[in-house]
């Protein structure tokens, strides 16, 4: 049953029975027979199939959500029986924003893996949105509030954002003294999902207000936006987790600090209703110890 469950996950990941067969070196007939055996075992249809595509049924979606956990439990049990229960091992699937992940998270993960040689890592660095359940991610680090209420969160440090630019840019274009003056500047825009972040929030006159900005450069890559800013291409709005060292060294200069919006949060995000393996719980503890305090600028 576990082998067939593992095959089912590969079918979903590869998008079809034939592709899964090629991945695992199995004939189409064998893949089909083993999928049918799994459906008989659970007494449910797991996939809706046409000649061109497959889609998950509700039962298949539930099995996808919990199947990786079942396989991880079985693997963990095997390792505990083999190793006496003392070794922490297995695969960690993690997602994080690109800049934060590269500069802050990767050094922690390197230390964590050095302490636990049995741990393997699959790290997805992206500033976009991920389906944590569908892609089998154990946990993600994300800024701000989440639209998906089915996920569980654990708040870490404050995410204070800074409007900043390079000294060269400010020497050429001048230093804005009010958020409304940003309309005369080249702003470097992040795109989250389909839409660029054209509205930046500021504390103006005792109230939180949004100011529309514009610019010629847009990207869904936060690291690229920071590099553009360092090169003097415009003004960016970035987390202090990402630009704190740039500000401290003078490579970037914070502007409009007196209008800074209230801080949001850096959060650990993970699927609900799932028992966390020991390796995931240990990593969460390490993240809380490292980042569970206000970010320093």
């Amino acid at each position: 049953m576990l082998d067939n469950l593992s095959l089912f996950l590969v079918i979903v990941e590869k998008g079809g029975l034939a592709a899964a067969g090629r991945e695992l070196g199995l004939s189409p007939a064998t893949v089909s027979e083993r999928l049918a055996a799994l459906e008989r075992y659970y007494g449910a249809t797991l996939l809706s199939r046409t000649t061109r595509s497959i889609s998950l049924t509700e039962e298949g979606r539930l099995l996808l959500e919990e199947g990786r956990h079942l396989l991880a439990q079985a693997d963990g049990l095997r390792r505990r029986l083999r190793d006496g229960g003392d070794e922490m091992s297995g695969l960690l699937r993690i997602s994080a924003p690109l800049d934060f992940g590269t500069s802050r998270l990767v050094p922690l993960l390197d230390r964590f893996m050095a302490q636990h040689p049995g741990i393997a890592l699959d790290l997805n660095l992206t500033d976009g949105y991920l389906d944590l359940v569908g892609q089998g991610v154990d946990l993600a680090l994300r800024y701000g509030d989440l639209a998906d209420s089915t996920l569980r969160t654990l708040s870490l440090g404050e995410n204070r954002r800074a409007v900043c630019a390079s000294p060269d840019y400010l020497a050429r274009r001048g230093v804005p003294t009010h958020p409304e003056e940003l309309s005369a500047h080249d702003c470097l825009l992040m795109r989250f999902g389909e839409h660029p972040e054209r509205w930046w929030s500021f504390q103006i006159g005792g109230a939180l207000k949004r100011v529309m900005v514009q610019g010629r450069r847009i990207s869904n890559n936060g690291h690229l936006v920071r590099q553009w800013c360092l090169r003097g291409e415009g003004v960016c709005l970035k987390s202090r987790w990402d630009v704190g060292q740039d500000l401290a060294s003078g490579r970037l200069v914070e502007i409009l600090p007196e209008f800074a919006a209230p801080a949001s949060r850096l959060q650990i995000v993970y699927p609900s209703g799932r028992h966390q393996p020991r390796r995931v719980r240990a990593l969460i503890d390490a993240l809380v110890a490292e980042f569970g305090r206000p970010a320093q600028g």
Side-chain angles (χ1 to χ4, degrees), residues 1-14 20 23-24 26 34-35 38 42 63-64 67-68 70-72 93:
M1 188 274 290
L2 291 176
D3 287 343
N4 290 342
L5 176 57
S6 180
L7 173 61
F8 169 72
L9 298 183
V10 175
I11 292 171
V12 175
E13 178 184 352
K14 297 300 179 181
E23 177 74 13
L24 299 175
L26 300 174
R34 288 177 55 179
L35 176 60
L38 188 67
Y42 284 110
L63 185 60
L64 177 66
R68 291 186 179 90
L70 290 173
L71 290 174
R93 293 184 175 91

Side-chain angles (χ1 to χ4, degrees), residues 72 75-76 79-80 82-83 86-92 116-120 277-279:
D75 183 65
R79 290 176 181 272
R80 287 196 298 273
R82 185 193 67 190
D83 301 322
D86 294 328
E87 182 181 10
M88 181 157 52
S89 60
L91 177 64
L92 281 170
H116 306 290
I119 293 293
R278 181 185 174 201
R279 61 185 177 277

